[in-house]
Amino acid sequence: MNQILMVEDKSKKTKNKTKTSSSGPIEIKNIVRFFAIVLIIFGISFIGQGSYAIYKESKGRNTKDMPVVSMHRENDTIIITANSINKIMKFKYSWDNAEETVIPIESNYMEEQITLLNQNNTIHLTIEDETGRAIKYIKQIEVEGIDMTKPTINIEKQNNGNVKISATDETEMAYITYQINDGEEIRIDKSEIEDKTLNYILTFDNRGENNLLVTAVDTSGNIETMEEKIVVSETPKVQMSQNKNILTLQINDDAGIKKVEINLNGQIYAQDNMNQKEIILNNIPLKEGTNIIKITITNVEDLVFSDVREMSYEP
């Protein structure tokens, strides 16, 4: 009986031992599997972040499709232009060690004007595009001894309706251009006898209001422009009627009449600040015999027209 009990007890122990030893490897296997999955997930995430970083770095070092930048001086400024396939995000510049100026762009094209300093200096330029790349320029700007004064332009209306253009430079003129309305731009070079001043008489074919754009350029490349409205009027119409010794004038001008002056046998009759397209002047007395009448009309565009006539009066 005791032996049976002992045997059964031993068997029970053996069974318990077997169960314990068989469950150990299963639990370890599950733990290993769990950590393996975690590592795989972490590894994939790490590889993804690494790939993005490499891609971004690659874009940053890529020199293809970089912005195309140009620079030129105009008077006392330099003009910076840039074209890019990728959107330009920022433009930065500074003079030597001065504070940097940052200008947001957010476009595929930019044009910026920078005022030159009054001494030789170095300009630092940086253009950043949407890929994170930056293109940098450093250029020495020399201004000492360089003519940076722009020419001056004067546009003067003539009595016959023409316009006189005068461009003057303190050093030497090169040429002028003019453009009427949307027509072709015409260039007029200085003559051999002209140096600091270039004059040109311009005749308008189009009646009515015209837009005149004049550009003057000196030999140092300095540029000045002037735009002005020019109204070209038809010659005023003057009608004269006589009733015995009384003269009546009717004057019409499409632009508008500003002033009328009548010189009758040396006696002046004048009327100003009319600003009308038609006026009638009555009760102008004629003397016996021949009368010399000079009529001077100034319209609202300050164009002046004159007419001389004779009238006779016999009582």
Side-chain angles (χ1 to χ4, degrees):
M1 188 76 174
N2 290 334
Q3 287 181 348
I4 294 172
L5 288 172
M6 289 177 63
V7 171
E8 286 179 352
D9 189 48
K10 186 177 180 181
S11 174
K12 197 173 184 180
K13 286 182 179 181
T14 305
K15 189 176 180 181
N16 290 336
K17 185 177 180 181
T18 304
K19 187 183 289 186
T20 303
S21 62
S22 63
S23 64
I26 292 174
E27 292 178 1
I28 294 172
K29 191 174 182 179
N30 290 337
I31 293 171
V32 171
R33 182 179 296 172
F34 171 77
F35 280 105
I37 293 171
V38 171
L39 287 173
I40 289 171
I41 294 172
F42 178 76
I44 292 172
S45 175
F46 180 78
I47 290 171
Q49 291 179 355
S51 298
Y52 175 77
I54 292 170
Y55 176 73
K56 188 175 181 181
E57 181 67 19
S58 174
K59 271 202 166 185
R61 293 180 179 179
N62 183 13
T63 57
K64 289 185 63 178
D65 300 331
M66 296 292 282
V68 178
V69 182
S70 65
M71 176 193 307
H72 71 277
R73 182 183 70 84
E74 186 173 303
N75 304 327
D76 59 349
T77 64
I78 54 172
I79 300 176
I80 314 294
T81 60
N83 284 284
S84 177
I85 293 177
N86 299 303
K87 187 177 289 186
I88 300 170
M89 302 305 294
K90 292 180 183 178
F91 171 63
K92 307 176 183 178
Y93 73 90
S94 64
W95 293 102
D96 282 341
N97 298 319
E99 183 180 355
E100 186 175 59
T101 299
V102 181
I103 301 172
I105 303 296
E106 297 188 7
S107 174
N108 296 86
Y109 174 79
M110 59 151 280
E111 179 176 323
E112 293 294 331
Q113 295 187 10
I114 302 174
T115 303
L116 293 170
L117 304 181
N118 57 5
Q119 59 186 5
N120 296 343
N121 220 306
T122 302
I123 191 167
H124 301 256
L125 308 175
T126 302
I127 295 175
E128 296 182 7
D129 67 15
E130 61 185 337
T131 67
R133 298 176 302 178
I135 181 169
K136 298 185 177 182
Y137 289 89
I138 299 176
K139 185 174 179 60
Q140 176 71 27
I141 306 294
E142 297 184 358
V143 298
E144 294 177 3
I146 295 177
D147 172 24
M148 292 192 297
T149 303
K150 298 185 291 185
T152 60
I153 300 173
N154 183 54
I155 298 175
E156 181 183 353
K157 299 172 185 176
Q158 305 291 292
N159 288 344
N160 56 5
N162 294 335
V163 169
K164 179 181 179 181
I165 302 172
S166 298
T168 304
D169 185 70
E170 89 290 354
T171 305
E172 185 178 357
M173 281 298 305
Y175 63 90
I176 63 170
T177 66
Y178 71 86
Q179 183 180 23
I180 301 174
N181 300 324
D182 295 324
E184 179 185 1
E185 184 179 74
I186 307 298
R187 171 168 167 160
I188 308 296
D189 291 293
K190 70 168 187 175
S191 65
E192 294 181 357
I193 61 174
E194 291 176 317
D195 188 11
K196 295 184 178 182
T197 300
L198 194 161
N199 295 307
Y200 184 74
I201 302 296
L202 178 59
T203 300
F204 284 83
D205 296 325
N206 298 327
R207 297 296 176 181
E209 185 176 271
N210 294 270
N211 185 68
L212 174 63
L213 177 63
V214 178
T215 301
V217 183
D218 68 12
T219 53
S220 297
N222 298 304
I223 301 171
E224 177 67 302
T225 61
M226 178 179 287
E227 191 170 5
E228 191 165 327
K229 297 291 185 183
I230 304 294
V231 177
V232 181
S233 304
E234 297 282 354
T235 302
K237 298 178 177 63
V238 179
Q239 294 181 335
M240 305 175 65
S241 60
Q242 179 182 355
N243 183 10
K244 297 182 179 180
N245 68 326
I246 300 300
L247 175 66
T248 300
L249 295 177
Q250 179 178 334
I251 305 172
N252 297 83
D253 186 275
D254 292 335
I257 303 164
K258 180 178 179 181
K259 178 181 178 180
V260 173
E261 182 180 284
I262 300 172
N263 185 330
L264 177 59
N265 304 317
Q267 185 173 353
I268 304 297
Y269 301 86
Q271 193 166 342
D272 202 352
N273 298 319
M274 297 179 175
N275 298 324
Q276 299 178 34
K277 293 186 177 182
E278 177 182 281
I279 62 169
I280 297 176
L281 301 177
N282 298 310
N283 300 321
I284 302 173
L286 299 174
K287 71 175 185 177
E288 185 177 349
T290 301
N291 294 264
I292 306 297
I293 305 168
K294 180 181 179 181
I295 306 168
T296 303
I297 303 166
T298 304
N299 72 3
V300 294
E301 298 299 325
D302 291 325
L303 299 178
V304 180
F305 305 89
S306 295
D307 189 13
V308 178
R309 300 187 186 183
E310 287 187 7
M311 295 199 76
S312 296
Y313 167 62
E314 297 296 337

